[in-house]
């Protein structure tokens, strides 16, 4: 008898996590061996349970599913990574692939499709939601540099340039330049619009 595929579920909403676990548990060849509610708990759980495939939600406390995927990919490159999202943002797809994800699916995909994706990534295939793939191609690459993204993320809470400079160990002039460049690249009027646009596209 072939051994079951050991799966980790990382999802902060307990009802969604339990529903996914129950649905995957109906499959004869899949076993959910661990469940976590935080992104920063993923790496330890993968190591502790000998996981084959990690299913990662994007929006989680501790760190995002994409950040968790990058950590797992570095430490346990044999583990296959499936990123699940409620938000079909094309920028997320690109970020997930760069982090080492093997599959990218929206959460409202049929349960059978998710189980099939688990099997496919274990067989070495890549599985991407076709609608998201088309949107990502149409959207193009993220125009923001890592530094610009960092400053925009920090600016999301309404911090002043002086507060941002202190928090990021930069001069106020440098912060102003990064924000100005980001606003220009995103073709918006101010930093609030820049943050909103970058988030909507999955670029932060």
């Amino acid at each position: 008898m072939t051994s079951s595929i050991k799966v980790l579920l990382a999802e902060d909403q307990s009802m969604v996590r339990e529903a996914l676990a129950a649905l995957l548990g109906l499959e004869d060849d899949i076993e959910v061996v661990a469940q976590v509610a935080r992104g920063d708990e993923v790496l330890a759980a993968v190591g502790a349970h000998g996981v084959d495939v990690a299913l990662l939600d994007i929006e989680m406390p501790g760190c995002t599913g994409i950040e968790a995927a990058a950590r797992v990919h570095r430490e346990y490159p044999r583990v296959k990574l499936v990123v699940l999202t409620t938000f079909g943002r094309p920028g997320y797809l690109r970020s997930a692939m760069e982090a080492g994800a093997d599959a990218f699916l929206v959460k409202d995909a049929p349960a059978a499709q998710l189980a099939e994706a688990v099997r496919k990534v274990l067989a070495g295939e890549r599985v991407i939601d076709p609608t998201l793939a088309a949107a990502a191609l149409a959207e193009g690459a993220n125009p923001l540099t890592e530094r610009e993204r960092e400053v925009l993320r920090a600016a999301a809470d309404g911090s002043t340039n002086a507060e941002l400079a202190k928090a990021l160990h930069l001069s106020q002039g440098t912060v102003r330049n990064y924000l100005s460049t980001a606003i220009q690249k995103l073709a918006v009027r101010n930093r609030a619009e820049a943050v909103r646009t970058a988030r909507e596209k999955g670029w932060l």
Side-chain angles (χ1 to χ4, degrees), residues 92-182:
Y92 279 162
L93 170 57
R94 195 176 291 271
S95 298
M97 294 299 117
E98 287 170 358
D102 302 283
F104 192 94
L105 298 169
V106 288
K107 279 187 201 168
D108 57 7
Q113 191 176 322
L114 181 56
E116 197 53 37
V118 167
R119 297 182 188 104
K120 282 182 174 178
V121 295
L122 204 60
E125 294 181 47
R126 183 166 270 190
V127 183
I128 298 170
D129 181 280
T131 308
L132 280 178
L137 284 172
E139 194 68 65
N142 184 347
L144 302 171
T145 65
E146 181 51 47
R147 253 325 193 185
E148 287 159 2
R149 290 200 297 271
E150 182 184 18
V151 174
L152 273 185
R153 276 194 294 265
D157 64 359
S159 296
T160 65
N161 284 358
E163 289 166 339
L164 291 173
K166 187 176 179 183
L168 299 171
H169 309 293
L170 299 169
S171 72
Q172 286 190 53
T174 302
V175 166
R176 202 161 38 245
N177 287 343
Y178 281 130
L179 286 171
S180 175
T181 307

Side-chain angles (χ1 to χ4, degrees), residues 4-50:
S4 295
I5 302 167
K6 293 181 178 178
V7 169
L8 160 80
L9 268 179
E11 159 66 61
D12 63 326
Q13 296 179 47
S14 57
M15 283 180 69
V16 175
R17 189 176 65 248
E18 286 162 18
L20 286 171
L23 289 167
L24 289 171
L26 297 173
E27 304 292 327
D28 294 336
D29 57 341
I30 295 174
E31 180 187 3
V32 177
V33 294
Q35 297 182 42
V36 298
R38 295 177 56 88
D40 52 7
E41 294 174 349
V42 169
L43 191 63
V46 166
H49 296 277

